[in-house]
Amino acid sequence: STTKIKTTQLWGKNKDDLKKQLLDLKTELAQLRTQKVAGGANSKLTKIHDLRKSIARVLTVINATQRSQLRIFYKNKKYLPLDLRPKKTRAMRRRLTKHEDSIISEKQKKRQMHFPQRKYAVKVC
């Protein structure tokens, strides 16, 4: 399988097929590397490059499918793993939620009731 692997072909495959293909690619890469050390032709270098990129593609598909499965699993759970939460910024993550921000304490309620905002009649010149 020295030809470049297209990612579109990989999406339809199941996990076992992807693992098997990954193993085949890795063994082929190891063989090419030993040939390179033994003094193989320069054409091997481009094949090594293509193989490394193909391995990366297979791993990307495996990881993406795994993440999507985890997203489905944690869909309606109370807590979400950190790596599945939205990144945003550190300040935004630590900000109060809309609900927490809208809560008014008993003391605050009493203060607002007993000392409301004063209304002034402004004279227009």
Side-chain angles (χ1 to χ4, degrees), residues 75-110:
K75 184 114 178 115
N76 296 316
K77 301 273 192 290
K78 185 175 181 183
Y79 296 110
L80 195 65
L82 293 177
D83 59 336
L84 295 181
R85 293 179 195 175
K87 182 90 167 81
K88 298 183 180 175
T89 62
R90 193 164 189 266
M92 284 174 81
R93 289 194 302 268
R94 277 151 182 72
R95 196 180 289 161
L96 290 175
T97 62
K98 284 180 182 171
H99 174 70
E100 289 167 344
D101 204 21
S102 66
I103 292 171
I104 301 168
S105 67
E106 281 297 316
K107 192 173 184 178
Q108 198 69 31
K109 283 179 194 169
K110 284 178 186 172

Side-chain angles (χ1 to χ4, degrees), residues 105-122:
S105 67
E106 281 297 316
K107 192 173 184 178
Q108 198 69 31
K109 283 179 194 169
K110 284 178 186 172
R111 187 178 286 159
Q112 285 174 356
M113 259 183 49
H114 296 301
F115 305 101
Q117 181 75 46
R118 295 221 176 135
K119 295 175 184 74
Y120 296 99
V122 179

Side-chain angles (χ1 to χ4, degrees), residues 14 23 27 44 52 62 65 69 72 84 92 97 114 116:
N14 64 2
L23 197 67
T27 52
K44 299 270 190 276
R52 286 179 61 233
I62 289 171
T65 50
Q69 290 297 318
I72 293 164
L84 295 181
M92 284 174 81
T97 62
H114 296 301

